[in-house]
Amino acid sequence: MMSFAPMIAEAVVPLTNYLVLSALMFVIGAVGVGVRKNPVVVFMCIELMLNAVNLTFLAFAKHLPFHGDVAQAATTGQIMVVFVMAVAAAEVAVGLGIIMAIFRLRNEVDIDDMSEMGG
Amino acid sequence: MTEATMPAIEWAMIMPVIIMMLTGCVALIIEMFWPKQNNNLIVGVTLAGLGWTAFNLIGQLGSPAGETLNGLVVRDTMGLVTQLVLVGVTFLTVLFSEPYMRQKKIAFGEFYPLALWSAAGGMIMATSHNLLMIFLGLEVLSIALYCMAGLSRQEHKSEESALKYFLLGAFASAFLLYGIAMFFGATGSLHLSNMPDHFHGEENLLVISIIMMLVGLGFKLALAPFHQWTPDVYQGAPTNVTAFMATASKAAALVAAIRVLSSFAIIEIYWQPLLVAIAVLSMAIGSLSALVQKDVKRVLGYSSIANAGYLVVAFLADYELGDPNFTSAIFYLVVYSIATVGAFAAISIVAKNGKEGTRFEDLYGMWKNSPLAAGALVVFMASLIGIPPAAGFFGKLLIFQSALEAEFTTLAIILAAASVASAFYYLRIMHAAFVENQGPIPTQAAPMKFGLKAALMICIAGTVIFAVTAGKVSQTISGDQPETAISVMNTTGEV
């Protein structure tokens, strides 16, 4: 699985780069959730955060900074990504359904205009 | 690559989840073939499935701890009791859902399979030491709950609460996932039990991991400062869904958090002070913010935050005392769940002809219209306050005892103060049920249906029985370990 990695050894991107990139994506997503007003865009920001997580998993699975059963550890990280993607797809299905239901009810979906409740 | 071997599966351990999932499928198929009939058959099937699951779980209570499916599923007393709590609250919610949803004109049969699957997700979450399973269980629990919160499609506030719950829930699970990724980076595994005793690598990764996971699980537990969604969502969602959300989601998240935190023992100096702060903040916000609220469901939302704080205190004390079964946390969870489901069942009687008001004024005249509901409300509020004959008192007593024993004196004092402060708003709810209605239109509650009556009776019985047998129950939870706190409970319980 890892056999072709040494051939391009000088071109391998170090783990830190992946981690910094994914942390950056995660932060951009989290900030986006806070500042955007359209629920669809907010949800896109959440997807960005999930993709940041996926990148982290894959980077760790590739670079394996741990001991023990290395092959099994790499597989675990990759499998986790598949599950995260599946769950994200399920969330999209439900989330867009809820946004559609709101749109039918009030013809606009701005989060700040939703203040039906309050103490 | 190593040869893949099929692990031996102990079906008995995963049977409860399988029964719940299959019952959900059967209920959905019935709803598909008789879409416009009444839901009685679906309710019957659902209750039968839940009964079977409970029977299965009780049969396993004495059996030895173990794990199956390569450690993806574990069986221990804490997991079994939590699964029983989940099944129990689902049973009670389903019992009073049908009359309530008919009155509210949202009698969709899809509610029942969703509730079953959601509870099954919680059961998966409560019985695993694997972070992948905990994450999947959490998502199964949550995604079904997002749909259930938006069940009342014609009501603006229900849709609004569904959207809020969904967006913030997905946001929180992203944090949980990032925490899991960091754990994977540090240990190379998703198994909590693979956490080494002495960690030589980067401790930073583990610290980031536990903080991120605390955000994700704290959201589900409704702990401050991740609680902002709670009052809004509780108020907007249909009352039966709120009852389920306030108990099932909390039970599952509590046990998952207990498992995660106690396996992070090597960095406990980092998460313990954090958790103390979270507990104090939750108790303070939960008991003080509710004083100025005008809506009963909102008040119960804040009550849920305060109770989450008590549960964290119980966890901290049990952890400090080295109790592997977390007796006081789990016992309080049982007591809280019964009282909370009962309280929501009692206020669900206000719904009539598609309308439902849940402000304090809307409860006026409850005593006249339905004495049983008003009387039941008194019992549940007494239990939540912690007035001696009710089960809630023993729950709080046990937490208080363990907290003192573990030398968390400040936390114990704050817990007592928060209990006193929160008594005001519980008493306000009680009082509202007994005020004469003076409004222009007298609110006449619909005649009580059998399901609601049964749910209220079971909750009252539970509150009494758990009070009388408090010592015995906590002994079952703790796996017959002689403990000072429990022996105190034994003597007080028999007075």
Side-chain angles (χ1 to χ4, degrees):
Chain A
M1 183 164 53
M2 292 282 155
S3 58
F4 52 85
M7 286 194 290
I8 43 166
E10 67 273 17
V12 167
V13 184
L15 176 64
T16 326
N17 292 21
Y18 285 114
L19 291 186
V20 169
L21 175 64
S22 66
L24 212 63
M25 277 166 70
F26 192 84
V27 171
I28 291 172
V31 171
V33 171
V35 296
R36 300 313 292 259
K37 292 186 170 32
N38 188 313
V40 181
V41 180
V42 171
F43 191 53
M44 279 163 62
C45 293
I46 294 171
E47 291 290 313
L48 187 65
M49 293 166 77
L50 293 182
N51 283 330
V53 171
N54 281 349
L55 185 61
T56 317
F57 270 116
L58 290 177
F60 278 132
K62 183 163 188 286
H63 284 270
L64 309 170
F66 23 70
H67 324 283
D69 191 345
V70 171
Q72 199 191 348
T75 324
T76 307
Q78 287 159 3
I79 290 285
M80 186 74 192
V81 173
V82 177
F83 275 105
V84 173
M85 288 198 288
V87 165
E91 277 186 345
V92 171
V94 168
L96 291 186
I98 292 171
I99 294 171
M100 281 295 294
I102 289 195
F103 192 73
R104 277 195 197 157
L105 210 58
R106 50 204 298 172
N107 282 320
E108 48 88 25
V109 285
D110 194 319
I111 293 181
D112 288 354
D113 291 343
M114 294 182 197
S115 45
E116 234 12 68
M117 294 164 285
Chain B
M1 291 295 275
T2 47
E3 192 73 28
T5 46
M6 187 72 187
I9 302 172
E10 253 194 78
W11 289 97
M13 287 191 201
I14 47 175
M15 214 51 200
V17 175
I18 293 177
I19 299 172
M20 292 282 275
M21 287 282 183
L22 288 183
T23 315
C25 294
V26 172
L28 192 66
I29 289 168
I30 295 172
E31 148 34 71
M32 242 163 61
F33 283 107
W34 288 280
K36 291 285 164 238
Q37 304 281 322
N38 65 23
N39 291 331
N40 290 350
L41 183 60
I42 304 176
V43 176
V45 167
T46 309
L47 292 179
L50 286 165
W52 187 14
T53 316
F55 182 72
N56 193 308
L57 284 168
I58 291 170
Q60 290 189 49
L61 259 181
S63 48
E67 56 174 46
T68 184
L69 286 172
N70 253 341
L72 290 181
V73 177
V74 293
R75 172 168 68 190
D76 51 12
T77 321
M78 180 168 68
L80 287 174
V81 173
T82 317
Q83 284 184 311
L84 269 175
V85 171
L86 284 164
V87 171
V89 298
T90 316
F91 189 92
L92 292 167
T93 311
V94 167
L95 262 185
F96 81 86
S97 282
E98 187 58 21
Y100 168 75
M101 295 203 299
R102 284 243 189 97
Q103 282 301 333
K104 217 167 142 85
K105 303 216 158 66
I106 49 164
F108 303 118
E110 290 91 343
F111 169 77
Y112 303 99
L114 282 173
L116 282 171
W117 290 330
S118 187
M123 287 160 73
I124 295 172
M125 216 176 145
T127 53
S128 184
H129 267 139
N130 189 291
L131 287 168
L132 171 60
M133 290 295 278
I134 289 178
F135 166 67
L136 286 179
L138 180 103
E139 287 300 324
V140 172
L141 172 85
S142 310
I143 291 178
L145 261 178
Y146 303 148
C147 303
M148 283 153 74
L151 205 63
S152 184
R153 284 209 301 265
Q154 297 308 317
E155 217 181 355
H156 282 233
K157 61 178 188 180
S158 173
E159 292 310 306
E160 199 179 307
S161 84
L163 185 70
K164 266 184 193 160
Y165 192 39
F166 164 68
L167 287 178
L168 291 172
F171 187 56
S173 33
F175 276 91
L176 176 74
L177 270 176
Y178 203 64
I180 296 176
M182 290 300 150
F183 180 86
F184 174 67
T187 64
S189 160
L190 294 173
H191 261 293
L192 287 171
S193 42
N194 280 10
M195 180 71 105
D197 295 331
H198 302 287
F199 197 69
H200 299 298
E202 280 288 311
E203 223 173 48
N204 298 346
L205 278 183
L206 283 182
V207 176
I208 298 173
S209 165
I210 193 65
I211 291 173
M212 290 289 196
M213 282 203 250
L214 264 183
V215 175
L217 292 171
F219 173 87
K220 283 282 153 217
L221 265 168
L223 281 168
F226 323 112
H227 67 282
Q228 281 90 350
W229 61 279
T230 318
D232 282 358
V233 173
Y234 278 31
Q235 185 190 354
T239 306
N240 54 344
V241 178
T242 313
F244 183 78
M245 194 187 288
T247 48
S249 158
K250 188 161 294 201
L254 175 76
V255 177
I258 286 177
R259 290 193 199 278
V260 170
L261 285 167
S262 41
S263 66
F264 273 74
I266 49 167
I267 51 162
E268 64 180 23
I269 46 159
Y270 294 104
W271 59 256
Q272 258 181 345
L274 211 63
L275 219 52
V276 170
I278 286 176
V280 171
L281 207 59
S282 303
M283 289 190 285
I285 288 177
S287 48
L288 296 179
S289 309
L291 296 173
V292 293
Q293 301 298 326
K294 299 185 188 77
D295 188 287
V296 179
K297 275 161 86 179
R298 256 185 116 73
V299 168
L300 287 174
Y302 281 106
S303 143
S304 152
I305 299 170
N307 279 294
Y310 304 156
L311 287 169
V312 171
V313 175
F315 161 72
L316 282 168
D318 285 338
Y319 179 80
E320 196 65 27
L321 294 175
D323 177 0
N325 292 306
F326 297 92
T327 316
S328 59
I330 301 295
F331 183 74
Y332 192 71
L333 180 73
V334 174
V335 173
Y336 159 82
S337 298
I338 294 173
T340 305
V341 171
F344 281 112
I347 62 169
S348 80
I349 195 155
V350 179
K352 199 185 179 223
N353 283 336
K355 289 197 182 64
E356 183 190 18
T358 50
R359 299 165 75 85
F360 279 107
E361 297 93 271
D362 295 308
L363 291 189
Y364 289 179
M366 197 176 181
W367 170 247
K368 249 190 184 153
N369 293 322
S370 43
L372 174 61
L377 203 57
V378 171
V379 175
F380 305 138
M381 290 304 127
S383 186
L384 285 172
I385 297 171
I387 293 175
F393 169 72
F394 296 100
K396 278 191 180 160
L397 179 74
L398 191 54
I399 299 182
F400 200 73
Q401 288 266 346
S402 335
L404 285 182
E405 215 175 310
E407 289 175 357
F408 284 120
T409 321
T410 331
L411 274 183
I413 291 168
I414 294 173
L415 190 149
S419 298
V420 172
S422 58
F424 282 111
Y425 59 75
Y426 291 131
L427 286 172
R428 247 178 98 200
I429 297 178
M430 246 194 236
H431 169 249
F434 287 88
V435 174
E436 283 281 336
N437 191 7
Q438 290 144 344
I441 316 148
T443 40
Q444 280 178 346
M448 255 186 158
K449 288 281 166 17
F450 171 74
L452 179 56
K453 263 188 206 160
L456 288 176
M457 294 305 250
I458 295 175
C459 288
I460 295 175
T463 313
V464 175
I465 290 170
F466 280 112
V468 175
T469 60
K472 221 179 198 153
V473 173
S474 53
Q475 220 153 35
T476 315
I477 296 171
S478 73
D480 296 318
Q481 278 176 347
E483 267 186 46
T484 42
I486 291 165
S487 56
V488 171
M489 301 256 306
N490 263 330
T491 48
T492 33
E494 280 153 17
V495 170

